[in-house]
Amino acid sequence: MEIPRVDKIMTSQESKDGGIKGGYSHPIPLELLFIIFLRLPAKTLARCVCVSKLWASIIRSQDFIISFQSQSRILFFIRDYYQTRFENRFFLSNQQEGTSSLLSRTTCHVSDSRSRCRQPQEVNGLICCGYGTSPVIYNPTSGKSLTLPRIYLGQNVGPYVENILGYDPINEEYKVLSMTPLPGNHSGDSIIPYKEHKVFTLGSEGSWRMVECNTIHCPGTISVCINGVVYYGAYVGDGMKQRSLVRFDVRTEKFGFTKMPESVQTLSYYSSTLMNYNGKIALAYSKGYDTYELWVLEDEWSKMCFSTRSWTQPCIKFNVEGITRMGEIILTPRYGGEFYVVYYNLVTKQFRKIDIEGYKSPGGVVVSWEYVEASTMLL
């Protein structure tokens, strides 16, 4: 990217008679300002815009906006539980340098500890804690949170409410899809049939609205939102034994279902990971302790295989967190001491490791890849 350069920056100074005269400050290359601004969080950039017209012109330029949003930043979501409240700490890290800094901290009171137990989802800079009757939306950039209106349940339904966050880039709207199970005693069930579906639009003065879904299903994976469509794996059919990829169009609020590959025998929040593979939905599925299948959906499902067997540290079980734009599988250790990140290149078959100091694994660490700081004014 070609960035214009000047030798000196003109400033304005007040003369003794009250007039304004021109002057020069110390030379600051625009390339250096550009690089410095790229390393700042969004809320700090908002303050920098007020410093001078030059700073504002750089930060508001199309080149800077594209460069800022295309940075591969890692968001670490640390959850510390207490008896009546829990604290969220959001850390932002550069994936190349492995350095991290505190982005924001929030503390929320919890009426039901089960309402926050599902792994959160990050969509377009916002995070949704996806379980319970009072879903919470976080903006790590601002450090603010929003508790949505309570979802009232019928008799004999139980608290097993799934909430999924989606974003419509056309209308620039965030929506939360909520699912409640069929009535019955589900306390010992691992697969719960869900039937009633509701939608809430963030920023609206409305309430939860019913949406139609004619297929009873049970979510089995964390969701992914790509180009205004939310995807998640689910159980469907007789006895909830068939595996399907669910599509929910955030703008039209319509559902669609695609059969999963036959080799995907079970869906799990640990062994099955949905991800954005260059704009296509992909599923990483664990076939054993160190063997994985990567299924990519275009017109049909296509398969690639990879293994962590050659990793220099034996007996490490990894969680697949996602994939970078450069085609590197992102792995984190499921068990162990110090927390670190491993990148596996599907082409070269090479590993590289980034140590993340100050974190322990496990213990409530949620990782969001390719994080873009939200510019929404809703939170």
Side-chain angles (χ1 to χ4, degrees):
M1 180 184 303
E2 183 177 352
I3 304 172
R5 178 170 180 168
V6 294
D7 293 328
K8 295 181 182 296
I9 298 175
M10 180 72 72
T11 61
S12 295
Q13 300 175 349
E14 187 174 356
S15 63
K16 293 181 179 180
D17 58 3
I20 302 295
K21 65 179 182 179
Y24 290 97
S25 70
H26 294 291
I28 304 177
L30 291 184
E31 295 94 330
L32 180 57
L33 281 175
F34 196 95
I35 294 171
I36 292 173
F37 291 153
L38 282 178
R39 295 176 177 269
L40 299 178
K43 60 183 179 181
T44 303
L45 288 175
R47 299 190 187 104
C48 291
V49 168
C50 303
V51 173
S52 71
K53 291 183 178 180
L54 176 64
W55 285 27
S57 66
I58 295 174
I59 295 170
R60 290 170 175 167
S61 68
Q62 192 67 21
D63 283 345
F64 180 81
I65 292 173
I66 293 173
S67 298
F68 185 79
Q69 293 184 341
S70 64
Q71 293 184 110
S72 294
R73 298 188 177 194
I74 305 171
L75 181 73
F76 297 96
F77 181 18
I78 314 298
R79 315 181 74 187
D80 296 330
Y81 289 87
Y82 300 89
Q83 183 176 2
T84 59
R85 67 187 179 96
F86 69 93
E87 186 174 74
N88 300 312
R89 298 184 182 183
F90 302 96
F91 294 84
L92 201 59
S93 174
N94 184 292
Q95 70 162 335
Q96 300 296 333
E97 299 174 0
T99 58
S100 303
S101 60
L102 180 66
L103 179 62
S104 62
R105 178 188 288 117
T106 61
T107 302
C108 296
H109 293 277
V110 180
S111 58
D112 184 355
S113 61
R114 292 171 298 183
S115 67
R116 308 290 189 268
C117 64
R118 184 71 79 211
Q119 183 176 353
Q121 317 123 33
E122 184 272 323
V123 178
N124 199 49
L126 296 186
I127 287 179
C128 174
C129 284
Y131 208 65
T133 56
S134 299
V136 180
I137 308 297
Y138 297 94
N139 184 342
T141 302
S142 65
K144 296 179 180 179
S145 64
L146 173 67
T147 301
L148 301 188
R150 184 175 180 83
I151 302 168
Y152 292 96
L153 307 175
Q155 294 182 348
N156 200 24
V157 172
Y160 307 99
V161 179
E162 289 278 359
N163 302 293
I164 295 176
L165 179 63
Y167 177 72
D168 170 22
I170 296 177
N171 295 325
E172 298 183 344
E173 287 184 326
Y174 291 89
K175 294 181 181 180
V176 177
L177 170 66
S178 179
M179 293 174 274
T180 55
L182 290 169
N185 182 13
H186 304 297
S187 58
D189 297 341
S190 59
I191 301 178
I192 303 172
Y194 288 78
K195 184 178 181 181
E196 189 173 272
H197 299 76
K198 299 178 181 178
V199 167
F200 185 89
T201 302
L202 270 64
S204 68
E205 298 296 330
S207 57
W208 291 97
R209 300 177 287 102
M210 294 291 296
V211 293
E212 183 177 359
C213 180
N214 296 322
T215 302
I216 297 175
H217 61 279
C218 173
T221 68
I222 293 296
S223 63
V224 175
C225 187
I226 304 175
N227 297 327
V229 178
V230 170
Y231 299 88
Y232 57 93
Y235 290 96
V236 299
D238 295 336
M240 298 281 105
K241 295 180 179 180
Q242 301 175 21
R243 291 156 300 282
S244 180
L245 175 70
V246 183
R247 305 183 312 278
F248 176 73
D249 190 297
V250 180
R251 183 169 59 88
T252 65
E253 301 178 0
K254 302 295 183 183
F255 287 86
F257 293 81
T258 301
K259 188 177 180 181
M260 286 279 193
E262 291 292 341
S263 67
V264 180
Q265 299 297 319
T266 60
L267 296 175
S268 166
Y269 286 89
Y270 294 101
S271 64
S272 310
T273 305
L274 284 183
M275 62 184 73
N276 184 343
Y277 184 79
N278 295 327
K280 307 179 186 69
I281 191 68
L283 173 72
Y285 178 69
S286 175
K287 294 292 290 184
Y289 195 85
D290 53 14
T291 305
Y292 303 84
E293 293 179 349
L294 178 63
W295 291 91
V296 181
L297 180 60
E298 295 187 75
D299 296 330
E300 298 179 347
W301 290 101
S302 60
K303 182 178 74 170
M304 292 180 281
C305 297
F306 65 96
S307 173
T308 59
R309 193 170 302 145
S310 61
W311 174 244
T312 55
Q313 301 182 37
C315 302
I316 298 294
K317 178 66 175 177
F318 286 106
N319 288 330
V320 178
E321 302 288 353
I323 188 168
T324 69
R325 294 187 181 97
M326 304 304 293
E328 290 180 305
I329 298 292
I330 307 160
L331 306 162
T332 57
R334 184 176 298 182
Y335 314 106
E338 294 299 323
F339 182 69
Y340 58 89
V341 178
V342 172
Y343 292 83
Y344 174 70
N345 192 300
L346 290 170
V347 177
T348 64
K349 314 297 183 185
Q350 298 295 314
F351 294 88
R352 62 186 180 97
K353 176 186 175 185
I354 294 180
D355 292 305
I356 310 296
E357 297 181 359
Y359 304 109
K360 296 291 183 179
S361 177
V365 178
V366 176
V367 185
S368 176
W369 307 97
E370 305 291 347
Y371 176 71
V372 176
E373 295 179 69
S375 59
T376 177
M377 301 304 293
L378 298 175
L379 285 170

